[in-house]
Amino acid sequence: MGPLSGIRIIEIAGIGPGPFAAMLLADMGADVIRIDRPEVSMFANQTELDFLNRGKRSICIDLKKDGAVALVEKLVRSADGFLEGFRPGVLEKYGLGPDDCLGLNERLVYGRMTGWGQEGPLANRAGHDINYIALAGALEPMGRAGEKPAVPLNLVGDFGGGGMLLAFGMVCALLEAKNSGKGQVVDAAMVDGASLLMTSIFSAFQTGYWGERGTNMIDGGAPFYEVYETADGKYVAVGALESQFYQVLVERLGLADSLPNQYDMEQWPAMKERFAEVFASRTRDEWTQLFADTDACVTPVLAPNELKDHPHHKARNSIVERDGVWQPRTAPRFSRTDGGSPADAVALGHNSHEILTELGISDADQRELIANGVVSAAGQRIGD
């Protein structure tokens, strides 16, 4: 079930944004076959926690062994999409680059996930999320006034600007291939994606609306768009940007008649101090209850392990829990072809026998591939 049901994607296993992109496609119903290296996984004893590989099938192939590339080529011929996350030129050395694979299957959509892109002076340089967002203009605006840029989680570069951009690109190219009958290469670079996520900020910067770091409306500069500590050492998030929401906020705080104009930026530092004093007078849950029936845009700052117990997440079944393991359900939601709860991840090579059989490879030949170290079948018994 899912809107991508019937689509087959071959994923060369990697880390981070590539697996996340393939996870999104699997969540939407695509048959994702993950080609794993025959190595010990960091989730070897906790496969149920390998969330980025949920809903995928796994075959272990050692690309350095004779005959391995021929197996991948068989998979490519049967696929709609192919997804990899190596530096430019790596798979070309194995004969599995875009030209090679499109030569086998002209309808193939070949997705490439890199930090810097397939060309340019940095294309072959190493990097991580913090480097990509730094060069994309996304890191510099993050943080408090008078302080260095804050190091964020790797959501902007790796997952938002990387994996999600690649998944979007793959779906776009798959739709186009249905009309044209021809595949193409999707070059998804995290530095490009991070810049794309900054589109509205770049606009504000050039209009003169955006000032120095930590002094703006939505970067912690405004007292009504800020995080405040509560009496119990926890936090609430305040996002009362619009005047009607701000009015409710200050009324519930008991400050309606004691503050200057909402948009008097010179007064913002003093206003933030006053807000902080008031929020520090009650616990997070007390403030949550006080604002529960309002549009003041005040919410508790939840730790990850608190999500599954929140009433809103419960009502929407946003967090799926099985055998004590919890994770986000598939998103977005669809009225007719919704994927629902994500499928579990499987151990490396769990589907090797099954996939090889689908490719028409006999049990005898499968045993030979395993004996030669080309394929690992994760302890599966190959029929006599």
Side-chain angles (χ1 to χ4, degrees):
M1 192 65 174
L4 296 182
S5 180
I7 298 293
R8 173 170 287 186
I9 305 292
I10 308 303
E11 175 196 0
I12 304 292
I15 58 173
F20 180 65
M23 182 206 83
L24 294 175
L25 300 175
D27 280 355
M28 294 297 108
D31 175 21
V32 177
I33 296 176
R34 189 176 84 243
I35 298 176
D36 283 305
R37 291 185 290 270
E39 301 169 354
V40 176
S41 166
M42 65 180 293
F43 294 99
N45 298 316
Q46 292 182 301
T47 302
E48 69 277 7
L49 296 179
D50 193 6
F51 297 151
L52 292 186
N53 285 320
R54 67 192 193 185
K56 306 174 185 178
R57 296 194 288 163
S58 170
I59 179 172
C60 278
I61 301 177
D62 187 345
L63 291 178
K64 296 179 180 179
K65 299 287 187 178
D66 290 341
V69 170
L71 283 182
V72 179
E73 289 175 344
K74 283 181 176 288
L75 287 168
V76 166
R77 289 188 180 96
S78 70
D80 300 288
F82 183 95
L83 190 155
E84 60 95 2
F86 296 99
R87 293 196 205 186
V90 170
L91 284 187
E92 282 85 345
K93 295 177 182 178
Y94 289 97
L96 293 171
D99 292 341
D100 304 301
C101 291
L102 285 164
L104 298 170
N105 179 354
E106 68 174 357
R107 297 177 60 91
L108 186 74
V109 171
Y110 193 109
R112 316 199 81 172
M113 180 80 266
T114 60
W116 304 114
Q118 295 299 312
E119 68 279 320
L122 296 177
N124 288 296
R125 291 274 295 276
H128 285 290
D129 181 282
I130 194 170
N131 307 117
Y132 309 136
I133 67 173
L135 207 67
L139 178 59
E140 196 280 338
M142 296 183 186
R144 299 292 181 183
E147 298 181 8
K148 64 183 179 181
V151 179
L153 297 176
N154 61 335
L155 303 180
V156 177
D158 281 352
F159 295 108
M164 197 165 290
L165 185 73
L166 176 57
F168 172 68
M170 292 289 291
V171 172
C172 289
L174 287 165
L175 285 171
E176 195 279 335
K178 286 185 175 294
N179 295 324
S180 68
K182 295 183 179 181
Q184 59 184 306
V185 178
V186 179
D187 173 6
M190 287 174 253
V191 67
D192 296 345
S195 290
L196 187 65
L197 293 175
M198 290 289 291
T199 299
S200 66
I201 302 301
F202 290 166
S203 175
F205 184 84
Q206 292 174 81
T207 62
Y209 175 77
W210 196 266
E212 295 182 3
R213 177 173 55 253
T215 65
N216 303 284
M217 192 85 72
I218 58 171
D219 65 356
F224 45 85
Y225 201 89
E226 178 61 285
V227 175
Y228 292 100
E229 187 173 359
T230 55
D232 51 351
K234 297 180 180 180
Y235 299 90
V236 292
V238 177
L241 290 172
E242 293 83 358
S243 59
Q244 67 271 30
F245 302 152
Y246 175 79
Q247 189 60 39
V248 177
L249 169 69
V250 295
E251 287 176 357
R252 289 293 173 107
L253 291 177
L255 299 174
D257 300 321
S258 61
L259 295 174
N261 182 278
Q262 177 184 0
Y263 300 110
D264 186 347
M265 297 179 68
E266 291 185 359
Q267 298 298 320
W268 281 1
M271 292 167 68
K272 287 178 70 171
E273 290 183 7
R274 186 71 184 103
F275 278 34
E277 290 175 2
V278 176
F279 275 113
S281 67
R282 301 191 189 192
T283 67
R284 184 192 68 178
D285 291 346
E286 287 174 334
W287 286 119
T288 299
Q289 183 62 36
L290 182 67
F291 286 104
D293 62 343
T294 74
D295 277 339
C297 304
V298 176
T299 53
V301 176
L302 300 179
N305 61 359
E306 295 179 289
L307 298 184
K308 59 187 176 64
D309 296 321
H310 191 275
H312 188 77
H313 292 308
K314 281 186 172 181
R316 289 180 56 78
N317 296 316
S318 299
I319 304 298
V320 176
E321 186 171 6
R322 286 192 292 268
D323 300 323
V325 174
W326 53 271
Q327 60 182 300
R329 62 150 281 161
T330 61
R333 306 181 186 205
F334 296 81
S335 62
R336 185 170 51 81
T337 60
D338 191 62
S341 297
D344 292 329
V346 298
L348 302 189
H350 177 80
N351 309 102
S352 293
H353 174 49
E354 170 189 320
I355 293 168
L356 292 173
T357 301
E358 290 176 3
L359 293 176
I361 298 174
S362 69
D363 289 348
D365 288 342
Q366 290 185 40
R367 287 193 293 271
E368 184 176 354
L369 288 169
I370 294 170
N372 292 335
V374 179
V375 173
S376 171
Q380 299 165 68
R381 180 181 176 83
I382 310 300
D384 297 326

